[in-house]
Amino acid sequence: MSTRKLHGEHMLTDAGRVEWVSRNAQASALAASPYKWDFPLLARKPDLAFLDSAATAQRPSSVLEAQKRFYETMNANALRGLYELSVEATEAINASRAHVARFLGLDDRNDARDIVFCRNTSEALNMVAQSFAPIVLEPGDEVCITVMEHHSNLIPWQQACRAAGAKLVYMYPDDEGVISEEEMRAKIGPRTKIVSAVHVSNVLGVANDVKLMAQIAHEFDAVMVVDGAQSAPHFPIDLNDLGCDFFAFSAHKVYGPFGIGVLWGRHDLLDAMPPFLTGGEMIDAVTEQTATWAPVPEKFEAGTQDAAGIYALDAALTYVEEVGFDAIQAREAALVAQCMRRLSQLEFVRLIGPSDPAAHHGVVSFNVCTIHPHDVASILDMDGVAIRAGHHCAQPLLAHLGIDSCCRASFAFYNDARDIDRLIDGLNHVWTMFHG
Ligand code: PMP
């Protein structure tokens, strides 16, 4: 029986043997992940506990094959040629654009034009802060964000406010990580022009009620921007339901390639925005002194696109849909709950974030008493456990929590109970090295 390209039909048993099991039977069992076999890196490194998917996810073979297939069968500069290969590359981009629209709960025929491809979430958010904000911000206006923003959704707003003479206002969570309606209404008001919030915090794991934030923002005619970098991998996104005006995410966190980001924006807003970058492919007509712009989305896609990456993102979304968000959510919730239960049994570990595991979306942050997170991560690495340690690009949040760094174990559906065992064993090792 082949053990390659198993798509979950084989699993690694606790004894380290490969056995056949149906994926459905195993979808909720955490003992050994049937999904690891879809991911060549994880299949090749059975002793690695990869607990850093919030930084970047592993890629399934279908995504790696798609990228290779593009270069082998349809490589040409999309949009520039009238020959068959170039047309195929263009069609691959368009098909992926339509797929992203569906992935976000939109109509893939009418709404795909509002999907802008860029490099990552950071670039998407910079596009909004640099191209949209100057249209609406005037001195004395306010931009409202949360204290739990990743720097990618914080520094662009600091810059935009500085340029416009506007004020950056913060919403703060309670001890359980919840930004209450009261807090939203205390901070969003008549001076607010833009509200921008992280959907799921990369440190606390909490999901903000961005739907309610959007409703309140709209009561004051403000625009709602959502950083979906940590929500898109974990649960279905329905932009019609969320009611926001801009939404950004990165392909590399949804099992797709590096270097591809998505910005969705309300069509009238994208239409009114000046281009972010200028150059080839984003123009309508150019004279020596003037230029006019191509329609959305081309207006925001200057230069040669990473067509292979965009094609591979299409494959990544197909993979996610095949696994299904029901299975993804069930497994990740069980993994997070088990991880938090086991960590809470270690008297030297202090958990960070909401006490309810159901409020965490793939992320469990913690600290080990008296031991610096960098030391914890380095020693865990010696035991084959990959976690993140540091400020997680969220320094204002950490300052708000009264710490300057922490450890973070982050989960994807491909993790299993053995990864958690290794983390716990590794932490006991860390503790005995320092205090044993
Ligand atoms: N926002 C959040 C919440 C994130 O976790 C990250 C990545 N860690 C980003 C934005 C930035 O994503 P990228 O590095 O892909 O631009």
Side-chain angles (χ1 to χ4, degrees):
M1 194 183 294
S2 160
T3 54
R4 280 196 326 110
K5 202 166 178 295
L6 300 166
H7 286 279
E9 289 163 341
H10 294 70
M11 62 177 257
L12 197 63
T13 65
D14 289 339
R17 286 191 313 275
V18 175
E19 284 182 2
W20 187 89
V21 280
S22 90
R23 172 124 95 189
N24 286 346
Q26 286 299 316
S28 58
L30 296 183
S33 169
Y35 298 103
K36 283 192 177 174
W37 295 100
D38 293 348
F39 293 79
L41 185 142
L42 298 176
R44 259 188 218 121
K45 293 180 182 284
D47 292 333
L48 170 70
F50 183 72
L51 297 175
D52 198 20
S53 297
T56 197
Q58 296 301 333
R59 279 54 153 181
S61 43
S62 60
V63 169
L64 304 175
E65 282 159 14
Q67 188 119 4
K68 190 161 173 274
R69 186 163 59 248
F70 181 90
Y71 285 118
E72 285 179 353
T73 66
M74 53 184 102
N75 182 48
N77 199 326
L79 310 169
R80 279 175 212 255
L82 291 172
Y83 54 93
E84 195 181 331
L85 266 188
S86 177
V87 171
E88 276 176 34
T90 308
E91 281 168 359
I93 291 180
N94 289 341
S96 186
R97 209 187 288 283
H99 200 166
V100 172
R102 280 198 303 284
F103 183 73
L104 298 177
L106 301 170
D107 175 347
D108 55 4
R109 272 168 311 158
N110 297 323
D111 299 328
R113 64 181 179 167
D114 302 328
I115 302 293
V116 177
F117 286 121
C118 55
R119 280 190 311 143
N120 46 39
T121 304
S122 305
E123 189 170 282
L125 294 167
N126 272 277
M127 216 184 296
V128 184
Q130 290 183 39
S131 285
F132 174 72
I135 302 177
V136 291
L137 283 185
E138 286 177 3
D141 284 344
E142 293 178 357
V143 173
C144 187
I145 66 174
T146 82
V147 80
M148 62 176 88
E149 298 312 317
H150 187 280
H151 296 165
S152 295
N153 195 35
L154 190 157
I155 299 167
W157 299 115
Q158 284 183 347
Q159 298 287 90
C161 286
R162 189 166 299 132
K167 189 173 162 202
L168 191 55
V169 172
Y170 283 87
M171 293 180 276
Y172 296 93
D174 64 18
D175 291 346
E176 285 295 311
V178 176
I179 297 178
S180 65
E181 177 169 358
E182 200 184 4
E183 174 68 357
M184 294 178 200
R185 291 198 178 276
K187 302 296 170 61
I188 303 170
R191 294 206 175 135
T192 313
K193 288 286 161 56
I194 297 167
V195 180
S196 190
V198 69
H199 201 176
V200 167
S201 159
N202 64 318
V203 176
L204 302 174
V206 287
N208 285 312
D209 190 347
V210 289
K211 180 175 174 175
L212 178 59
M213 260 180 222
Q215 278 165 16
I216 298 173
H218 291 159
E219 283 173 25
F220 295 98
D221 289 330
V223 156
M224 180 75 207
V225 185
V226 176
D227 168 359
Q230 297 293 350
S231 58
H234 297 298
F235 51 79
I237 304 294
D238 181 349
L239 291 183
N240 287 317
D241 181 54
L242 285 187
C244 59
D245 303 291
F246 292 100
F247 186 93
F249 73 96
S250 293
H252 71 97
K253 293 188 202 279
V254 290
Y255 315 99
F258 280 129
I260 304 294
V262 168
L263 174 69
W264 169 82
R266 235 176 62 200
H267 187 73
D268 57 325
L269 302 182
L270 290 175
D271 208 33
M273 280 161 62
F276 175 59
L277 296 172
T278 54
E281 304 305 330
M282 50 71 65
I283 51 85
D284 177 28
V286 182
T287 67
E288 281 193 3
Q289 300 297 332
T290 61
T292 53
W293 316 135
V296 174
E298 285 83 17
K299 177 171 70 170
F300 297 107
E301 294 179 348
T304 299
Q305 293 286 90
D306 180 354
I310 292 170
Y311 181 66
L313 169 59
D314 194 353
L317 300 183
T318 300
Y319 178 80
V320 168
E321 286 156 2
E322 278 170 14
V323 175
F325 272 116
D326 286 348
I328 290 175
Q329 285 178 284
R331 274 191 73 83
E332 291 177 352
L335 286 160
V336 163
Q338 189 172 126
C339 181
M340 286 177 68
R341 186 176 56 76
R342 301 280 307 275
L343 286 175
S344 65
Q345 290 164 351
L346 302 179
E347 75 279 8
F348 51 84
V349 165
R350 191 174 71 80
L351 283 164
I352 293 166
S355 51
D356 180 5
H360 289 247
H361 295 85
V363 169
V364 180
S365 293
F366 60 93
N367 264 328
V368 176
C369 301
T370 70
I371 307 177
H372 194 278
H374 285 161
D375 292 331
V376 174
S378 304
I379 299 168
L380 285 177
D381 180 49
M382 294 190 307
D383 290 340
V385 179
I387 65 154
R388 197 105 182 143
H391 56 58
H392 308 285
C393 301
Q395 285 183 354
L397 172 63
L398 267 60
H400 176 74
L401 297 172
I403 51 179
D404 44 39
S405 63
C406 66
C407 302
R408 180 186 74 188
S410 57
F411 291 90
F413 62 91
Y414 45 58
N415 288 117
D416 57 27
R418 295 189 345 147
D419 298 326
I420 298 173
D421 290 344
R422 296 182 78 95
L423 172 68
I424 301 297
D425 290 350
L427 288 171
N428 277 314
H429 181 202
V430 170
W431 187 250
T432 47
M433 271 182 81
F434 276 78
H435 298 286

